[in-house]
Amino acid sequence: MATAPGRKALTHERIVDTAARAIRRAGFAGVGVADIMKEAGLTHGGFYAHFPSRDALLVEALAHAGQQSAERLSQGNAQREARGASPFRALIDSYLSDRHLSGTENGCAVAALVSEMPRQSAEVRSAAVQRVRSLVALVAQTLPADAAPDSAAAIASQMVGALQLARALGDNAEGRALLAANRSALLARYDTSQPAA
């Protein structure tokens, strides 16, 4: 039987969860240790009892953000597949949704942070590479068997780019139209199933 996490583990988890939301909301540069600790309801002095450095926190926050995003996508995909959508259609409809457009803080870490990833420390860049690879792998799992081997990377790139451009336009009719155009283009090219009812 698993034991309940202790107080230190729960506090650590709260800090990581807070940082995962903060990096997606404000970017890597917008995440200060003092701000994270304050948002988590803790004092700045307690940070080093949990992490050896800010970069160590960012690595954990990236992994946590990726896990959260994957779980949300999985739940949305399952609901869409239950209504008859193919796995690919479910992914595209979930990822390029109006909800994801407005949900930066809880959405895909890759889309929120990709332009900043190359400028981070080696430790954080390595964690970022894992997030990108995970997204490409997720796309690959949903593709029809006859899809070209390199199409997963191209599709993931279009998904991330479309979401970033839509967010730049805003959570408005123009941003939503850009997402809709990309959904239609990707589904027309790669989804061989009938549209979900």
Side-chain angles (χ1 to χ4, degrees), residues 69 73 91-92 94-97 100-101 104 107-117 128 131-139 151-169 175 178-179 182-183 186:
S69 181
L73 276 174
L91 175 64
I92 296 303
S94 292
Y95 194 93
L96 297 178
S97 67
H100 202 186
L101 172 63
T104 305
C108 176
V110 175
L113 299 164
V114 71
S115 66
E116 296 180 53
M117 289 175 174
R131 298 283 44 89
V132 172
R133 288 179 179 155
S134 293
L135 180 60
V136 173
L138 177 63
V139 172
S151 57
I155 293 165
S157 299
Q158 184 173 343
M159 290 164 52
V160 168
L163 186 57
Q164 288 182 308
L165 292 176
R167 285 177 175 166
L169 293 172
L178 189 141
L179 287 183
N182 278 276
R183 277 194 311 269
L186 285 167

Side-chain angles (χ1 to χ4, degrees), residues 44-67:
H44 179 262
F47 176 81
Y48 291 102
H50 295 276
F51 305 95
S53 67
R54 179 179 176 273
D55 281 349
L57 169 61
L58 294 178
V59 167
E60 284 195 48
L62 262 176
H64 187 68
Q67 179 183 354

Side-chain angles (χ1 to χ4, degrees), residues 11-25:
T11 300
H12 186 93
E13 186 178 318
R14 187 168 73 203
I15 296 167
V16 171
D17 187 60
T18 301
R21 286 191 317 274
I23 60 173
R24 289 177 281 183
R25 177 180 64 235

